Structure formats: structure tokens, C-alpha cells
Amino acid sequence: MNPSTALGMIGGVLILVSVIAFTSQDLGVFINLPGLGIVLGGTLAATLLSYPLHEVLHVWRVFIVVLRNERYYFREDMDEIVEVSKLWFNGNLAAVQNKLDTIRNPYLRTGVQLVIDDTPMEDISDLLQWRLARLRAREHAEAQAFRTMATYAPAFGMLGTLIGLINMLFATQTNDFAVIAVNLGVALITTFYGIVLANLVFRPIATKLERRTEERVMLMNMVLEGVTLMRKGRSPAYIRETLKSFMEHHRDEIRQEMPNGNGVEKPAAGSKRTGRR
């Protein structure tokens, strides 16, 4: 399991349970199946109305990805690009063909195959850029589905609150305080469930998926840069140093704090634009 995911999940649950335990005389009052059913059922129903069934099912399979400690083979892919470029630079086409079958990254394998086939530079760039854009769009949609659920959950929590309050008002006519207490509990606990699910489950998953997409796109951009340089006939040493600079540049862009406070970082003067192909 991803260490940060495990730490966040366990830490969040422990903090929540500890606060409830120290402030409540009965932990059982925070377990309300009708309230949980309103929030989960309503959120699921609204999500099914918003997305096709196959997308909803796929999104829940993606949830497993968040729990996994996924590794990105930046160094290994860079070494494979340099190794293939050496063979290509020396004109050893047979060795390049043999090496092609051992390349683990399918995106890199496609790029090298296009180079071997003497595909024009513009066509290579267009095809690889299209695959990159398709991956970004698909994974953005997956993260957006969880953000949508994070929006629905508090709304259905408020719906449960209204249902509980309405039932409580009708129960006041009977002067049965047990019934009034039950409905008041449903009214309050559904809002609690909606807030917890939105901010401790759905929204963090969406953020985690977006960060995963950033890493994967960065890796694909590095591969695209290497394939482009290989097609141009650059030397293996030049390709290696360029890819090293490329990776350092993109890591700084992703992890550097935004100085202007609005989430948009001004590019430094004279910086190399690696997005141009």
C-alpha cells in the first residue's frame, strides 16, 4: 500500500474516533444505518445519473490504484532510451529490433517502432501527443468523478437532515421523546456522514489520482522527448543529458511553491520550454 495513503487513512480514522470517544458518552449514537444509507445511496444514485454505468464501475476499480504503492520507472526508461539510441546511432537496426521486444513501457515501444519504420517527425509527434492527451483526459475524468461524489455527499447529508427534521416536527404532536430523539439523530448524523465522506474519502482520492496523472504525464513527456531526439539523430550522450535536464525541470515545476499566491507560476527568464515539439 502507498505509505502516504495508509498514513492518511489510518490517521484520519484514529483522529475522528478519538475525538468522538473523548466528547461522547455513547459511541453508538454515531452509527446510524438509515442516515448512512441516505448519504451513500443518494450519492451513488446521483453519480449513476451523471455518468454511464461502465464509467462508474471503472472509477471504483481505480480506487484500488490509490491504495497501491505505484512506482514510476523514470531512470529505467531513460536508460532504455539511451541504450536504444546507441544502437540506432550506430546503425545497428537488427539489434534495435531485438531490443524492442524487451522494452517494458508500451509508450516507449511505440515511439521506437515509429522511428524504426522511418515515420516522419511530425507524424511521430502527433501520434504520441494524441496518446498522451487521451491518457490525461481519461484520468482527469476519473478524478472528476470522485470530485463529483464529494459534491453530492454533503448535499445528500443535508437532505437527510431535512428528512429527520420533518419527521421530528410531526413526532412532536405525539409527545414521544424517543421518536423525536431518533429523528433528530438522523437529521444530524446524515450531515456528519456527508462531510466525512466528502473530505476524508472522495476529495482526497480525486487529488491522489490527479497527482498520479501528473507523474504519468511527466514520464510520457520524457519518453516523447527522447524518441524525438532519437529520430533527429542526436547522439546518445546528448539524449541522456537532455533527458536529465528535462526531468529536473519538470520536477521543479510540479513541486515548487507558487510565489504569486494564485496557483500560476511565472516562467523564469531564459528557461527552456520543453512542451514544444
Side-chain angles (χ1 to χ4, degrees):
M1 179 179 286
N2 190 305
S4 64
T5 303
L7 183 62
M9 291 175 59
I10 296 173
V13 172
L14 286 178
I15 291 174
L16 189 61
V17 171
S18 299
V19 171
I20 293 175
F22 283 114
T23 58
S24 176
Q25 296 179 351
D26 183 9
L27 295 178
V29 299
F30 286 89
I31 301 176
N32 189 292
L33 295 182
L36 185 61
I38 291 173
V39 177
L40 286 179
T43 301
L44 179 60
T47 304
L48 288 172
L49 287 171
S50 303
Y51 295 90
L53 178 60
H54 70 275
E55 290 188 16
V56 176
L57 296 177
H58 177 72
V59 160
W60 286 109
R61 286 195 294 268
V62 171
F63 176 72
I64 305 300
V65 175
V66 179
L67 303 179
R68 227 175 31 225
N69 188 17
E70 190 170 19
R71 181 187 174 192
Y72 303 99
Y73 298 90
F74 292 104
R75 175 65 61 180
E76 290 82 353
D77 285 344
M78 185 177 69
D79 290 341
E80 282 189 333
I81 293 172
V82 174
E83 185 177 350
V84 172
S85 67
K86 288 180 180 178
L87 301 174
W88 178 255
F89 191 75
N90 294 327
N92 194 344
L93 182 59
V96 175
Q97 288 281 9
N98 294 332
K99 179 65 178 176
L100 188 64
D101 297 331
T102 65
I103 295 178
R104 179 186 59 255
N105 189 330
Y107 188 70
L108 173 58
R109 189 164 55 246
T110 299
V112 173
Q113 184 64 63
L114 292 173
V115 172
I116 295 174
D117 295 340
D118 200 25
T119 307
M121 176 67 66
E122 294 78 8
D123 294 342
I124 294 177
S125 179
D126 289 343
L127 176 60
L128 296 183
Q129 287 280 12
W130 175 78
R131 288 185 56 173
L132 191 153
R134 187 180 64 176
L135 177 137
R136 182 188 285 116
R138 183 181 68 250
E139 296 194 353
H140 172 75
E142 295 167 354
Q144 187 60 36
F146 280 102
R147 290 203 176 274
T148 301
M149 286 187 277
T151 302
Y152 290 148
F156 281 99
M158 289 301 300
L159 176 62
T161 298
L162 293 176
I163 293 174
L165 291 177
I166 292 171
N167 291 331
M168 185 187 68
L169 290 176
F170 278 102
T172 56
Q173 300 176 359
T174 65
N175 292 326
D176 189 343
F177 290 102
V179 176
I180 294 174
V182 169
N183 288 302
L184 182 59
V186 173
L188 297 178
I189 205 67
T190 50
T191 299
F192 173 79
Y193 286 151
I195 293 174
V196 169
L197 288 173
N199 295 284
L200 198 59
V201 180
F202 298 138
R203 193 168 285 118
I205 291 175
T207 302
K208 199 80 173 182
L209 289 175
E210 289 168 351
R211 296 296 300 168
R212 173 178 178 263
T213 300
E214 289 178 356
E215 294 287 341
R216 286 158 64 85
V217 168
M218 182 170 65
L219 175 60
M220 294 176 73
N221 272 320
M222 184 197 73
V223 171
L224 176 58
E225 185 78 9
V227 170
T228 301
L229 294 174
M230 180 178 166
R231 180 64 179 84
K232 290 179 179 179
R234 299 294 191 266
S235 68
Y238 178 83
I239 293 176
R240 178 181 290 278
E241 293 306 315
T242 301
L243 295 185
K244 284 183 179 178
S245 301
F246 180 93
M247 291 302 302
E248 292 172 359
H249 176 71
H250 275 273
R251 288 186 182 277
D252 288 343
E253 280 188 343
I254 288 178
R255 292 176 172 81
Q256 186 173 354
E257 294 293 333
M258 300 303 179
N260 56 0
N262 59 3
V264 178
E265 183 182 2
K266 296 180 180 179
S271 61
K272 179 181 177 182
R273 293 182 60 87
T274 57
R276 179 176 57 84
R277 304 285 173 234

